Amino acid sequence: MSQGFYIFSSMGINIFQRPLWAAIFAFTAAFLWGWAYPFIKLGFAEFEITADMTGSKMLFAGIRFCVSGIIILSIARLTHRSFALKDGANVNLVGSCLFLLAFTLLNTTLHYAAFYIGLSHSQGSRAAILNSLSVFLLVLLACLFFKSDKLTFRKILGCVMGFGGILSLNLGGEGSGSFTLLGDGMIILNALCGAFAGLLTRGVNMRVDVFVGTGYSLGIGGALLVIPGLLLGGTLPNVTLLGLFYLLMLIGISTIGFTLYNKLLTCNPVGKIAIWNSLIPVVGAVTSCLCLHEAFLWKYAIAAALTTAGIYVINKGKK
């Protein structure tokens, strides 16, 4: 991983600014993140982690993100990024540390605890689309908390389309799935955590290098998932080579996805990169149906189309 990052670095930042390469890298990050949905469920099945094994789910998630955070921090060290708090943050050391801890809890620990529990009680394709709720929540919350983010007609239209896609998930008969607290409810909680963590990102950038902050968030947040997972009696009941392969793939998805995505955000307008995230629910739904043999219901296509269109409408107006 570090060798690949050095190759990109040696070619210069300009490669990440070139439209073709920026599109390829952004597509790669979104495509990989979409694959996380089936790999998590396949990993649960291979490790024999059942729906009622909350501790084991937290342990599985914690190992993934803790290792990913260590890898990202190692890359940050190798590329000579600053690990120190920025000048303004040093004035209130305790406050800055508490802020970063809050970001860690929202961005990783609570976020993915809810996600892993919800995903084990829901179809992967359904969860992939429902999770896109965080995008629209972040847009609306940003308008409330940041003067620079104005609530425009384009944003309202995009959010209406996105929420319409999410509501369409509950159309159809009983066999197509219905709302459950442990399934959809936890995925919605996960989306809320993701949205509020997004609000805190600007504050993180004021206190520490965002790339380093992401590494801390994943590493420490992952460890905070491992500890309660073990205390709850969590284990990996059936460790196999295939199960380890799924876990390594998930670690790779987090590491490569965050590395590419964060690098792109430093070199390009956020809107032009964020638009590619509209592919995540689509890729997640399709790959879940292909890998998990879930039925591809007509409402998934409608929901994917509406959420993707909503994200596109919101981002199209950004400069």
Side-chain angles (χ1 to χ4, degrees), residues 124-179:
S125 48
R126 181 184 179 88
I129 300 169
L130 187 60
N131 192 39
S132 64
L133 174 66
S134 63
V135 176
F136 309 105
L137 286 174
L138 180 56
V139 171
L140 295 176
L141 289 171
C143 294
L144 291 175
F145 289 97
F146 301 128
K147 292 182 179 180
S148 58
D149 290 88
K150 304 297 183 182
L151 186 61
T152 64
F153 174 75
R154 184 181 297 278
K155 289 181 179 179
I156 294 174
L157 177 61
C159 287
V160 169
M161 295 171 68
F163 281 119
I166 292 168
L167 290 175
S168 71
L169 285 173
N170 290 304
L171 298 176
E174 184 178 347
S176 63
S178 58
F179 182 89

Side-chain angles (χ1 to χ4, degrees), residues 239-276:
V239 179
T240 65
L241 288 177
L242 183 57
L244 292 175
F245 168 76
Y246 291 141
L247 181 56
L248 288 174
M249 289 297 292
L250 287 167
I251 292 171
I253 285 171
S254 296
T255 304
I256 297 173
F258 278 112
T259 299
L260 290 176
Y261 192 70
N262 288 343
K263 182 65 176 178
L264 287 168
L265 289 180
T266 65
C267 306
N268 300 275
V270 173
K272 289 186 178 180
I273 303 304
I275 183 61
W276 291 93

